[in-house]
Amino acid sequence: GGSASSGAAGAGARELDADLGGGADAAIASSSSSSSASLDALDADALADAMRPVAAVADLKGEVIAIAADSWITTAGLMYVIEYFHLAHGMEWYAAIAAATCVMRVCAFPLTIMQQKSAGKMHLAKPEMTALQESINEARRAGEHERAARLGNEVFAIWSKHDVHPAKMLAPLLFQAPVFISFYFAISRMAEGLPSMRDGGFAWFQDLSIADPTFALPIISSLTFLAAVEFAPQNPAVKSSQREMTKWGLRALGVAMVPLTASFPSGVFVYWITSNVFSFAQTVLLRVPFAKRAMGIPEDPPPSKVSMSVTSAGTKIEKMFGVKPEMHKGNPKLKLRKKRTNDEDTLE
């Protein structure tokens, strides 16, 4: 009897454990399934939030694609870049143009640093280049053309020694010139073909598709251009007279830009002003010695003693003979000797 009752008790305990275990497993399964469902819901919401800008661009990109189809590839690409900031980030058209401009200028900044490095290295190599050029000229005057050609090949050795090449100084121009032209055509075509550009401006220039009737944008564009010109870092490898001539030419261009561009759409001036302000900030940065050292731009070397001695010698010659000394057709000593002989004959 005792064994039967103990067996029954054991069976009941096992059934109770089975019921409790089954309930726990069911609770765990239910909890994991609900957690998984909530995580799936969160993932779906996050994915939806992340894809919302992409979906917006996909739905609304037809506004630009209609006018970008028959444009240059660079012009069409800039249209899509500007529209990306407008649609994906909810910017007004003027802000989207400014943002796209800053992105392009930041991408071109490494090329500007490379240009400044090349200019500094060219200045360091200038004494050797000057001496080599004098040797080449002497060989040519002496009729030693083979020696002159051999010396001419040493130019490449000097460039290799200083790790410099004139082509590197043209890199920013080769990048910025097509971008500058493409930006103009992109914004002009968008101003003409997108109705939303008519109220995408700011302050007094709400309509980006027409010219600024107040002429404020052309004037601001010219002033910011002139500021960038005045603060632009000087290329030490270029003669001071050439630098000054170039600067005066750019000054004249900045003044002439006002009447020449006054009829352009306001959206174009948003690009120009943003680019000019970026150039001004860039030139100010490149004047800071710490920033130049951090970027690896060589410092301008001090004037050499040779150049100072040549200058002082030239000054002494000018004091003795004038700035433009007169050249005698014959030997002045022979003329003086003949004059003395004639005077003696007259006395006799």
Side-chain angles (χ1 to χ4, degrees), residues 110-168:
L111 297 177
T112 303
I113 296 175
M114 183 177 68
Q115 181 191 40
Q116 292 299 312
K117 287 182 179 179
S118 298
K121 292 177 180 178
M122 285 289 287
H123 188 49
L124 295 177
K126 187 176 180 180
E128 297 181 45
M129 296 291 295
T130 302
L132 180 61
Q133 186 61 45
E134 292 177 356
S135 300
I136 293 173
N137 293 337
E138 290 178 0
R140 288 174 178 173
R141 285 192 295 266
E144 301 175 356
H145 299 290
E146 294 183 0
R147 179 169 172 264
R150 187 171 62 255
L151 291 172
N153 293 331
E154 294 184 10
V155 173
F156 300 99
I158 296 176
W159 288 350
S160 177
K161 173 184 175 182
H162 293 275
D163 188 24
V164 67
H165 196 282
K168 293 181 179 180

Side-chain angles (χ1 to χ4, degrees), residues 2 36 39 43-44 49 52 59 63 88 96 123 127 131 135 141 169 201 210 241 253 257 283 288 296 304-305 335 337:
S36 177
L39 289 175
D43 292 340
D49 292 338
R52 190 172 290 113
D59 292 339
E63 190 177 8
H123 188 49
S135 300
R141 285 192 295 266
M169 300 180 64
I210 62 173
S241 58
L253 177 62
M257 281 174 58
T283 54
V288 179
S304 61
K305 295 181 179 180
K335 290 183 178 180
R337 190 178 302 168

